[in-house]
Amino acid sequence: QVQLVESGGGLVQAGGSLRLSCAASGTSFTLNAMGWFHQPPGRQREWVAVWTSGTATYKESKKDRFTISRGIAENTVILEVSNLKPEDTGVYFCVAGRNTIGAYWGQGTQVTVSS
């Protein structure tokens, strides 16, 4: 059973930066698609960025401050966020799949940006 575990969330001041990590376990195959979703408080989950077969794709409103990359270890993905803003507050979910995202979801990690 594939499990995704996120780490790196917490309380951060506006203007700061953070690095979220996601590691998959329980899989014998490569997850070629890994990405991140963000769910602000009281709102729907929205995608942020996805890394698919070597290509990074961002939601247009996120591309200037968010950077997605694959980790050194297999089946890991990193999301770096700079110049944090209060609207970045919420739960960040790691999502993955063999070739497209969506098959597997993590439990999420909370990020709170204080102004």
Side-chain angles (χ1 to χ4, degrees):
Q1 182 178 356
V2 178
Q3 288 189 318
L4 303 179
V5 178
E6 304 96 337
S7 61
L11 177 63
V12 188
Q13 283 193 326
S17 60
L18 62 73
R19 185 174 188 265
L20 303 179
S21 300
C22 171
S25 62
T27 173
S28 59
F29 49 85
T30 298
L31 297 169
N32 293 308
M34 298 190 78
W36 294 90
F37 274 65
H38 171 223
Q39 185 166 20
R43 295 173 58 185
Q44 287 189 332
R45 204 173 292 186
E46 61 178 9
W47 81 281
V48 174
V50 61
W51 183 279
T52 305
S53 299
T55 300
T57 306
Y58 300 90
K59 183 175 182 179
E60 186 62 29
S61 61
K62 306 291 187 184
K63 63 193 308 180
D64 59 338
R65 299 185 295 112
F66 291 71
T67 303
I68 189 171
S69 60
R70 293 298 294 252
I72 295 174
E74 187 176 16
N75 291 335
T76 60
V77 66
I78 307 296
L79 183 69
E80 295 176 286
V81 190
S82 62
N83 190 23
L84 282 156
K85 301 179 179 182
E87 53 262 41
D88 296 325
T89 292
V91 181
Y92 286 77
F93 295 90
C94 178
V95 58
R98 198 152 189 174
N99 293 301
T100 59
I101 60 172
Y104 312 108
W105 288 81
Q107 292 297 307
T109 185
Q110 174 70 42
V111 172
T112 302
V113 183
S114 63
S115 57

